[in-house]
Structure formats: C-alpha cells, structure tokens
Amino acid sequence: MKAKHGANRRAGINHGGGRPFGYKAVKPKAKGETPDVPQVDPREAKLIREAANAVLAYAADPKTGMTLTGICKSWNARGIKSPRGKEWSIQSLRGALLSPRIAGRVARKGEDVGPAQWEAIIDLDTWRSVKRVLTDASRRTGSEVSREPKYLGSGLYVCGRDGCGAVVRPGGVRAGQRQQYRCTASAHLIRTAEPIDDAVEIAIVAKLVHDAPIVAPKQASAGLDVNELSTQRAALAMQLDSLAEEFADADEVETALYRARARKLREKITAVELEITDAQTWAAAASEPGPFDDMDRTALLWAYTEHPDVALTLWRETYPLARRRKMLDALAVVTLKPGRRGRPAGVAAGGLDPQSIDIDWKGATVA
C-alpha cells in the first residue's frame, strides 16, 4: 500500500482521502482501482481565491483584507460550511489555505511533494506567499482571536482629556457591568462603550446618506514584477537541480563543496521568494474592494428617513464590524472627552452628552 501510494504521489494521482474544500467529491472506487481526478467546485474555489487575496492584502496593510478570524465570521454568517458540514474555525480555514492541493500539488503530511493531475485553484507562487504569511513566526505572538477587535472604537477612538490623544481600548469590565472604553496612556478617561458606539454609527450613517465620502486613494504597490521574480526563482531552482546532478557521485571533500554552493543557492531562492510575497501582498491590497464599494446608500436613506435607529439596525445587519471599522477609520477621528458632572441640560437620564464626543470628519464632502 505504501509503495502504491508513493507511486500515485509521483504520478500526481489522487489517492483518496477526505474531500478538500474547493473540489467536488469523487466517487469511491473498488479496491485497486485508481480514484477519479477531483474537479474544481466553482463556488468554493471563488471563496478560496477571495480568502487567499484577503490574507495577502491584510499582510501588506491591515486596513485592507481580512484576518482568518474575520474570514471565518463572514463565511459562518453566510452559512458556508466546511467539507465536514461544520462551521469554520481559524484552524480549519488555515488548514484549507495551507493545503498544497489548492495549488494543484500532491500533499504528503501537509507538505508539497510535486505536481498533481487536478486543476489548481490558485497558482503556486500565490500559494507559497499565503503559506509564508500564515506560517510567519511573528503571527504567533498571541491568539488571533484576541487580536480581532470586538468593539467599533477599539484602537480608533482617542482620548481627549487634557490633550492626551492616546487611543482607547475596551477593558475593566466586571460581571454585570457594561463594556467600557479606557485610555491606554492612563486611567484618566473611562467611558461606557455602547451609547458612544450608537451615537458614532448614527452620525456615520447620516454622513453616508447625505454625503459621498471622498476617500484617499490606496497605496501604490511595491512595484515588483511577480512574473520576473518567478522566472528568477525557477532559474535558481534549475541551478540547484543541476548542482545536485553534478555532485551525484561526489566524495567527502566534494560533498562539503556541494553543500556550501547549495546553501548559497537556497539563500538566493529564499530571498527571491520573500520578494514575491511582498509583491503579491501589495498587489492583493491594491485589488481588495474598498470599504465603501457596493454600499447600498439608497437602502440606508429609506431606513434613515423612517428613523435613525432603523437605519442603525440595517447598517449593523448589513455590514460586519470589521468593515464598519474600516469605514470609520476612513471617514473620521473620534475624540472622547470626560463626562460632565450631573446631568447636562437637555440630556435624558442615562443618555449621552453630545458635547462629550468630537467627530472630526476627514474631508468627506457632499457629492
């Protein structure tokens, strides 16, 4: 069986196993028969390409693309299931994107062992770039779940007490209390989060309903030619293969020479692969849809005309938190001020003092 599976891998033949996401299931074969070649599932393949692009874009600029957590939340909200019929987790999505199969390659214990007979969903260089991003040691400094913001203003709102200017983040909540925003420079500003987020988002909806935001153009790509870099990598790989053939019958002294020359070639290949990843991440960031693309302003207008709270509900149901945060970051700087003592005139009990929030619009003008 091992010999047979090894022969299948060398020939790029599918040797069974669970259905990988992005491909249609193949019918089981009788013992000894060669399994059918998996066929691409167009719907799932599109999702994989979008996810790969989002991961690369986020690596270049966190204001674009999405984290694995964000992609999982989006897919689960849309009812997209894994091949086992379960909701997506960071681990399952990461496994799907790291699988060499989606690049048209045969996998052995998760590693690429050669070309396969089935069609690739993403090209090999793109898959290698995604793998490099997802296996980057710097991403393992903490749980991605903990780094995924859960509140609108986390890291975006700033403290306005005594000209502080530090960002605020959620924290300090005890059981039964409402979430609070706290200044990260000092504990001199603590504000209840929910009424502030409501007021800010209603203001954003009103701005989008009446004004067409003018958003700064995206940052240009790194200017590196992926095709040229891929050609360089292929040439270096051929040199490495030729070197191995040249020293196939080497003695001990020649083997040391081979290792030294091979190490230099591998270092050059690694350097080129890093450049390919940089080029592809910036290209992905440039191609990612902007936060305002395909926004249904008409629906928001009708809802806002009925009541701002109706528009706020539609806004939050239509656009996930990650996208709403990108819109906020593109449109405004929100500064929180300390609350005034007592109840300000005209403010209902438990209501929000409008003078305790400043919204500085970033040049959004009426169309």
Side-chain angles (χ1 to χ4, degrees):
M1 290 292 289
K2 288 183 179 180
K4 179 63 175 177
H5 287 168
N8 284 348
R9 283 192 293 272
R10 289 189 292 275
I13 297 173
N14 172 41
H15 53 82
R19 178 182 80 85
F21 190 74
Y23 293 90
K24 299 177 181 178
V26 295
K27 295 181 179 179
K29 291 288 187 177
K31 186 176 181 179
E33 291 185 346
T34 302
D36 291 334
V37 176
Q39 300 298 311
V40 171
D41 182 308
R43 175 176 172 272
E44 292 184 354
K46 183 175 183 290
L47 290 168
I48 285 179
R49 285 190 285 267
E50 290 174 351
N53 199 73
V55 166
L56 293 175
Y58 187 84
D61 182 0
K63 293 183 179 179
T64 65
M66 296 176 73
T67 62
L68 293 183
T69 301
I71 297 169
C72 287
K73 288 181 178 178
S74 174
W75 284 13
N76 291 335
R78 293 154 61 186
I80 298 165
K81 302 295 184 182
S82 72
R84 295 186 177 184
K86 297 181 179 180
E87 288 197 338
W88 287 92
S89 65
I90 293 175
Q91 292 74 22
S92 59
L93 178 58
R94 188 173 183 275
L97 293 176
L98 288 178
S99 172
R101 292 185 176 189
I102 63 174
R105 311 287 289 184
V106 177
R108 166 69 170 168
K109 295 183 178 180
E111 296 298 323
D112 172 18
V113 296
Q117 292 182 345
W118 54 84
E119 180 184 351
I121 294 174
I122 59 177
D123 64 80
L124 184 57
D125 280 331
T126 299
W127 176 76
R128 283 174 174 156
S129 296
V130 170
K131 181 179 179 181
R132 186 176 294 278
V133 168
L134 293 181
T135 56
D136 184 354
S138 65
R139 294 174 57 92
R140 299 179 177 273
T141 55
S143 168
E144 185 170 352
V145 176
S146 66
R147 290 186 283 115
E148 183 75 11
K150 298 179 180 179
Y151 295 90
L152 180 74
S154 178
L156 296 180
Y157 297 164
V158 297
C159 173
R161 180 164 184 168
D162 300 327
C164 173
V167 298
V168 302
R169 296 191 187 279
V173 178
R174 297 179 181 177
Q177 291 182 332
R178 293 195 294 176
Q179 182 64 59
Q180 299 170 337
Y181 285 124
R182 290 174 174 253
C183 174
T184 54
S186 173
H188 61 215
L189 183 123
I190 303 174
R191 299 291 307 277
T192 303
E194 183 180 353
I196 293 174
D197 288 348
D198 290 348
V200 169
E201 293 199 83
I202 287 176
I204 290 175
V205 171
K207 190 74 173 176
L208 293 175
V209 164
H210 298 109
D211 297 352
I214 296 177
V215 183
K218 294 183 179 180
Q219 188 171 350
S221 67
L224 301 173
D225 189 328
V226 175
N227 291 330
E228 180 180 339
L229 292 170
S230 297
T231 301
Q232 291 180 26
R233 186 194 182 283
L236 289 169
M238 288 181 64
Q239 291 180 40
L240 189 60
D241 291 341
S242 298
L243 186 67
E245 292 179 3
E246 179 183 345
F247 285 86
D249 300 321
D251 57 26
E252 186 175 345
V253 176
E254 292 174 328
T255 298
L257 176 62
Y258 162 74
R259 288 173 178 170
R261 292 172 61 180
R263 182 175 63 254
K264 290 182 179 180
L265 283 173
R266 291 192 184 98
E267 289 173 352
K268 290 181 180 180
I269 290 173
T270 299
V272 172
E273 287 179 342
L274 285 170
E275 289 188 272
I276 291 174
T277 299
D278 287 342
Q280 291 193 315
T281 55
W282 282 109
S287 67
E288 272 288 283
F292 302 99
D293 291 359
D294 301 323
M295 187 180 67
D296 192 343
R297 295 178 66 199
T298 302
L300 280 176
L301 174 60
W302 281 105
Y304 191 83
T305 302
E306 183 176 349
H307 195 280
D309 287 343
V310 175
L312 179 60
T313 299
L314 175 64
W315 164 258
R316 289 174 171 171
E317 290 177 348
T318 306
Y319 306 107
L321 176 62
R323 184 170 178 182
R324 301 197 316 266
R325 282 174 50 81
K326 290 177 182 178
M327 292 183 183
L328 167 61
D329 189 42
L331 285 175
V333 174
V334 177
T335 303
L336 306 185
K337 300 178 180 180
R340 293 183 286 174
R341 291 183 179 275
R343 186 196 305 173
V347 178
L352 180 71
D353 179 5
Q355 294 186 25
S356 69
I357 304 177
D358 277 346
I359 302 179
D360 183 17
W361 301 106
K362 297 180 179 179
T365 59
V366 178

